Amino acid sequence: MKKFTVPRFLIAVVIVLVGFTLSSCNTDGPDVPPVKLEEMSGNYKGKLITVQGSTRKESARDFKVKKDTIMFAEFPISEIVKTVVKDPIKTEAALKAIGKLKYDLKYTASVNQASNVVELTFAPKILELQIPVDGVNKKTVVAMTAKQKGFYVGMDRSLRFAVMAEKITVDGTLLTPYEVIEYNFPFCIKN
């Protein structure tokens, strides 16, 4: 009986193929560069979902991010004004008179390397505005809060956060009843 021998080059090919197969099992996914605090800064455009009670409105918003601040050149105040004024015609007149309202949202940031995100902890300041109604300005103070952290996600380089207008005081009187206004920015990207 003749003995069967495997050619050496065939053994070498099998060893190389096994090596490729085993090395391809070693990767956990795509190579994602770690996120850095500095890369957050810039001009953003994002989806804004405004919720008050059962009313929900979607729009696009532009804002700028610097080292420790998200800056709105035009913060969305229509729901605040509608809540204070109540009359739709007077609301529109008040919004036109107020124009664009700037608002800066302060934050502290820390990198979470395990999740490849920058976590933002917000310190919202009070929003103050004068709402003109029937020839009189109503001094309106809005207590802004952030109940959850925001995130700059390293994988897709997007910014996600939410704040809310927790309570409104008009001429020193707390507005009651009042439904909280939520400002959700679920996905924002650099321009």
Side-chain angles (χ1 to χ4, degrees):
M1 178 178 258
K2 214 174 187 189
K3 205 173 191 188
F4 178 74
T5 59
V6 179
R8 286 188 176 156
F9 96 93
L10 189 56
I11 293 173
V13 168
V14 169
I15 290 172
V16 169
L17 287 175
V18 168
F20 282 136
T21 304
L22 291 177
S23 71
S24 69
C25 294
N26 222 4
T27 59
D28 293 335
D31 185 26
V32 178
V35 67
K36 297 176 186 159
L37 289 174
E38 334 39 272
E39 69 188 61
M40 278 183 46
S41 295
N43 296 318
Y44 285 79
K45 183 173 199 96
K47 181 179 188 176
L48 166 63
I49 301 171
T50 308
V51 178
Q52 186 177 27
S54 61
T55 305
R56 175 187 163 110
K57 183 173 87 175
E58 291 187 24
S59 61
R61 255 331 132 176
D62 294 318
F63 56 89
K64 188 175 203 167
V65 176
K66 285 195 174 176
K67 183 174 84 170
D68 62 353
T69 309
I70 296 174
M71 297 170 290
F72 292 92
E74 187 176 353
F75 191 78
I77 59 169
S78 62
E79 282 74 20
I80 295 168
V81 175
K82 286 176 192 174
T83 300
V84 172
V85 177
K86 309 249 188 280
D87 180 283
I89 295 169
K90 291 179 183 179
T91 297
E92 287 306 314
L95 285 168
K96 194 172 193 175
I98 295 168
K100 296 178 181 181
L101 184 74
K102 293 181 181 182
Y103 182 71
D104 291 342
L105 179 59
K106 295 284 190 184
Y107 66 85
T108 55
S110 62
V111 176
N112 180 332
Q113 289 295 358
S115 299
N116 199 34
V117 299
V118 174
E119 295 179 355
L120 308 173
T121 303
F122 295 104
K125 66 179 185 176
I126 288 175
L127 182 92
E128 291 187 31
L129 61 151
Q130 297 289 330
I131 301 177
V133 183
D134 298 328
V136 177
N137 282 341
K138 294 182 178 265
K139 182 181 178 189
T140 305
V141 178
V142 184
M144 302 295 289
T145 61
K147 303 279 185 188
Q148 58 193 8
K149 289 183 177 186
F151 297 97
Y152 176 78
V153 181
M155 181 67 99
D156 59 10
R157 305 299 191 231
S158 66
L159 183 60
R160 303 150 194 240
F161 63 99
V163 293
M164 63 178 62
E166 192 168 53
K167 60 184 175 179
I168 299 176
T169 305
V170 180
D171 292 329
T173 304
L174 187 62
L175 196 63
T176 56
Y178 170 70
E179 289 187 277
V180 171
I181 303 167
E182 298 175 31
Y183 300 98
N184 300 306
F185 293 85
F187 191 80
C188 306
I189 55 172
K190 283 186 186 179
N191 291 341

